[in-house]
Amino acid sequence: MALRLFNTMSSRIEEFHPLRDHEVRMYACGPTVYNYGHIGNFRTFVAVDLLRRVFRQSGYTVRHVMNITDVDDKIIRDAARDGISVQQYTAKSEKAFLEDSAMIAIEEPTLVRATEHIPEMAAFVAALVEKGIAYRTDDGSYYFHLAKFPQYGKLSKKDFSGMLDGARVDVDEYDKDSARDFALWKAPKPGEASWDTAIGPGRPGWHLECSVMSMEELGETFDLHAGGEDLIFPHHENEIAQSESLTGKPFSHFWFHARFLLVEGEKMSKSLGNFFTLRDLVLKGHKPSSIRYLLTSVPYRTQLNFTFDGLKQAAVSVERLRNFRVRLTTGNFAQGASAEMQSLAAQTIDRMKSALDDDLNTAQAQAAIFEMVRQANATFDTGGIKKDDVPPLLAALTRFDEIFAVLDDDDGPKMKRVFDWAISESREKDISDELRAAIQAGQLSDADIEVKIAAMKTARAARDFKASDAIRAELADAGILVEITKDGIRWRRK
Ligand code: AMP
Ligand code: ZN
């Protein structure tokens, strides 16, 4: 059965087939890099990562492009306030975003940055002017003439028939009632970053950035465009208006939107004290794998209520899966195969596939693997698992992990990096006792280190420098500095 996905454009679940054989071209709206991403942002980014992995498991190659919005109203305002350039302002946040994404096992998409595509954006505006769809105002800004695109509202299903022709809005985000001709290009303002281009000085509006970069990377029509539900209007509506009125072709075939995340039943906000970045959670002692697991445990179109109880439960679930894998890889099994275990593994793979094919029903896919673990553990206890059952059971776990990515236990080094970051940012007071304890527990004893150093020596004696370097890197991740001198190998803790 083919993969079925909800398409916001048609408001129904449709079979997904890429426009080109075997290749999916997808674009996801990325972060506006002006501070650390919060767990709501990462709910959407994890949903998109999961989708990409499901596409791959379905046999497609995936071209996944994401923008980094490094010029927009908020960035310009805050960079001007701090008296630094837009690039200086955003560099730190972009780095943090990429580190955080890697921390929760998000595979890196092809990244495109708004500031690296300014001339193309100006050319896009010029082409819209040429077609009579955009116009210039006296201050040198350019607006999209909404009345020229009668299908405006087709994605968000809003009716704009009574709209006032010619009224304008120049902020990037606005609500339905103020839907007006929107700014494509904004004339320079004192103290704001601007670029000299063929259409005059200024800077692009946010919506234009995504239209230009997505079509440049993926073509005028591509398979799927993704983001959080708040982007449906006006952002995606405006992207459609700009792109389709220029090319006369459909822009994206599918529109994929993740529902917003709530924290303990409420909208996340700084004033309620329920606003968390990923690093905040790790500082409290939570593992990155628990966070990823929790973020994937509720299907993307269902509201996810993030709770600390849920996070603890997620940690237990991940532990259970990891322990089961250790049991399989280290146990002693009698020769032979059990028909029951063989069919359990095969059925689990089928159940996971049907669940994910059903508009990414991650909750059911997780339920399927836990049912397998429950039954296999019970069989294990009675000696019923045979040697030839191990590979298919492991294969089911691997298939699960190709999507959920929580089985490899790399939480320790990741948590240590957040710990080191907190120290470097003078945020020591935010480091919880739980995080300190987790790091200590994960630290290698002197005896552990000596064993690894001995293995390095053996590898070097056999001139296997690759193996020696791998051990050295592993030790470095655990905070151990290794020095190779002519007198031998020495180590010390960082
Ligand atoms: P931003 O950096 O604000 O442009 O947002 C980056 C992504 O996070 C967008 O796709 C938003 O739709 C999404 N997003 C923002 N807040 C939440 C939330 N509470 N839950 C889920 N997604 C969110
Ligand atoms: Zn976008």
Side-chain angles (χ1 to χ4, degrees), residues 281-294:
L281 297 180
V282 175
L283 287 174
K284 287 176 183 294
H286 298 287
K287 293 179 180 177
S289 60
S290 322
I291 304 170
R292 178 169 171 106
Y293 191 87
L294 180 56

Side-chain angles (χ1 to χ4, degrees), residues 29-34 38-45 69 74 173 206 226-231 258-262 268:
C29 293
T32 306
V33 279
Y34 75 111
H38 56 65
I39 53 175
N41 300 140
F42 281 101
R43 181 207 191 179
T44 294
F45 296 132
T69 299
K74 290 181 289 242
E173 290 171 80
W206 172 38
E229 61 176 338
D230 60 321
L231 300 189
R259 221 41 222 277
F260 257 34
L261 163 149
L262 299 179
M268 201 169 24

